[in-house]
Amino acid sequence: MSVDGEAVRLRSEADEPGWEVDPDDEWGVAVITTVGRQLKLRREAAGLRAAEFGKAVGYGEDLVYKVEGGKRIPRQDYLMRADELLGAGGLVAATWEDVKRVRYPRRVRELGKLEAKAVEIGLYECNIIAGLLQTPEHARAVIGAAQPPYSPDDVDRMVGARLARQSVFERSPAPALSFVLEEGVLRRPIGGTMAWRQQLERLLEVGRLHNVVLQVMPMNCDTHSGLDGRIELLKFPDGTAVGRSDGAFSGRPTSEPKHLRILELRYGTIRAQALSPRESLDFIEHLLLGET
């Protein structure tokens, strides 16, 4: 059995489970249901049974039925092979642009939408390196260390979602971004020495961008206003804003002006207590060289 001249191993749900559809995500369910229906109609019009179609694209019959029934999110290679087999002229393959967004958890998509609109983003992280700054290797190590553990497929989804948010760095005009990270977090070799070094190099790369301010909160700081946990602030072109802090307002997002003033005060104080941007980049460079 081959597609494009390459051997295709028949995969079943056991070793290629696809992505689960979030039943509470109305938009996602609608997208996957529509794509599945179109695949079924095209398959039937081509006179192919589900088993024949599955064998031709390299997937099990059970997964074909679940994709067509809107129960599973198809992978990109599934859509591309289906497009070729059904002679869809690129129309099936093109559905990946919508499908790939559905595979991310809804709350991550919503966060990504807010970040994509923001003209200013300020973030203090106390326990991890901010997701917007993580390398793929670091993200996989962090997510993979969760207990109870996520399934390999869920790890793939979550890593992909985290990296997709980093398109914020490619926006034009560029938003103003500021980050404060803890020294102790930077010293922890998450994922091993190689992954740790790659992560530090990524921080240096981002920290040198003209629209980014990256600061490190040193461990020897005797006054620390961020002990209540992470803070995130996003400001939008129309003058509105939204913020969240682990240690305020039950950890829920807020757009109340009086709440935002409190979060801005805390975040501003944390930045004042941290190393300057230049000192912070120097510190990271010294970490890489093993000089601190």
Side-chain angles (χ1 to χ4, degrees), residues 22 55 73:
D22 180 355
K55 185 177 180 181
I73 303 172

Side-chain angles (χ1 to χ4, degrees), residues 119-122 132 168-169 175-179 206 211-214 267:
V119 293
E120 292 183 37
I121 298 176
L132 287 175
V168 68
F169 292 107
L177 306 170
S178 67
F179 302 91
V206 173
N211 62 313
V212 175
V213 175
L214 179 64
Y267 185 62

Side-chain angles (χ1 to χ4, degrees), residues 186-219:
L186 300 184
R187 289 185 177 276
R188 188 172 295 121
I190 297 293
T193 301
M194 183 63 71
W196 173 70
R197 292 185 62 84
Q198 291 173 345
Q199 180 61 71
L200 294 183
E201 289 169 353
R202 173 59 176 165
L203 294 180
L204 289 174
E205 177 186 357
V206 173
R208 293 176 180 134
L209 296 176
H210 74 282
N211 62 313
V212 175
V213 175
L214 179 64
Q215 294 177 260
V216 174
M217 176 66 77
M219 294 178 68

Side-chain angles (χ1 to χ4, degrees), residues 182-189 196-197 200 204 216-220 275 278-292:
E182 287 287 340
E183 175 186 339
V185 171
L186 300 184
R187 289 185 177 276
R188 188 172 295 121
W196 173 70
R197 292 185 62 84
L200 294 183
L204 289 174
V216 174
M217 176 66 77
M219 294 178 68
N220 63 2
L275 299 177
R278 180 65 262 172
E279 290 171 333
S280 297
L281 294 182
D282 287 344
F283 174 81
I284 296 173
E285 288 178 338
H286 289 314
L287 267 185
L288 269 170
L289 295 173
E291 297 177 353
T292 183

Side-chain angles (χ1 to χ4, degrees), residues 249-269:
F249 323 121
S250 301
R252 298 173 181 172
T254 179
S255 56
E256 289 287 332
K258 62 180 180 180
H259 293 168
L260 291 172
R261 283 195 293 271
I262 293 173
L263 296 183
E264 288 174 347
L265 173 62
R266 291 184 182 179
Y267 185 62
T269 304

Side-chain angles (χ1 to χ4, degrees), residues 1-3 8-11 48 50-60 64 77-86:
M1 179 64 223
S2 67
V3 173
V8 176
R9 179 175 67 86
L10 186 63
R11 288 170 284 190
L48 292 171
E52 295 173 322
F53 177 81
K55 185 177 180 181
V57 297
Y59 284 81
V64 172
D77 68 322
Y78 183 101
L79 295 174
M80 292 180 67
R81 288 171 180 159
D83 188 282
E84 180 180 357
L85 180 65
L86 300 173

Side-chain angles (χ1 to χ4, degrees), residues 17-183:
W19 290 300
E20 295 282 356
V21 180
D22 180 355
D24 296 324
D25 184 354
E26 294 181 5
W27 178 80
V29 170
V31 168
I32 299 307
T33 300
T34 300
V35 170
R37 185 181 299 118
Q38 290 299 316
L39 283 167
K40 181 179 181 180
L41 290 173
R42 288 180 180 274
R43 173 180 63 77
E44 292 177 340
L48 292 171
R49 292 177 297 177
E52 295 173 322
F53 177 81
K55 185 177 180 181
V57 297
Y59 284 81
E61 180 181 4
D62 54 350
L63 187 59
V64 172
Y65 280 126
K66 289 186 176 182
V67 168
E68 292 181 350
K71 305 299 183 183
R72 288 295 174 97
I73 303 172
R75 296 176 181 270
Q76 186 176 22
D77 68 322
Y78 183 101
L79 295 174
M80 292 180 67
R81 288 171 180 159
D83 188 282
E84 180 180 357
L85 180 65
L86 300 173
L91 294 178
V92 169
T95 62
W96 175 246
E97 291 304 310
D98 287 325
V99 169
K100 71 181 180 181
R101 290 195 289 271
V102 177
R103 63 182 176 149
Y104 305 146
R106 181 174 58 177
R107 63 180 181 79
V108 176
R109 291 204 309 273
E110 292 172 349
L111 175 59
K113 289 178 181 178
L114 289 176
E115 291 171 342
K117 296 176 182 178
V119 293
E120 292 183 37
I121 298 176
L123 183 60
Y124 162 67
E125 280 285 8
C126 52
N127 295 317
I128 64 169
I129 291 173
L132 287 175
L133 301 173
Q134 291 179 9
T135 64
E137 295 77 14
H138 186 93
R140 185 169 296 279
V142 170
I143 294 170
Q147 292 296 329
Y150 295 107
S151 70
D153 208 57
D154 283 339
V155 171
D156 287 343
R157 288 182 65 193
M158 296 172 74
V159 171
R162 188 162 296 182
L163 298 180
R165 289 170 48 211
Q166 296 179 8
S167 61
V168 68
F169 292 107
E170 302 168 6
R171 281 175 46 195
S172 181
L177 306 170
S178 67
F179 302 91
V180 182
L181 307 176
E182 287 287 340
E183 175 186 339

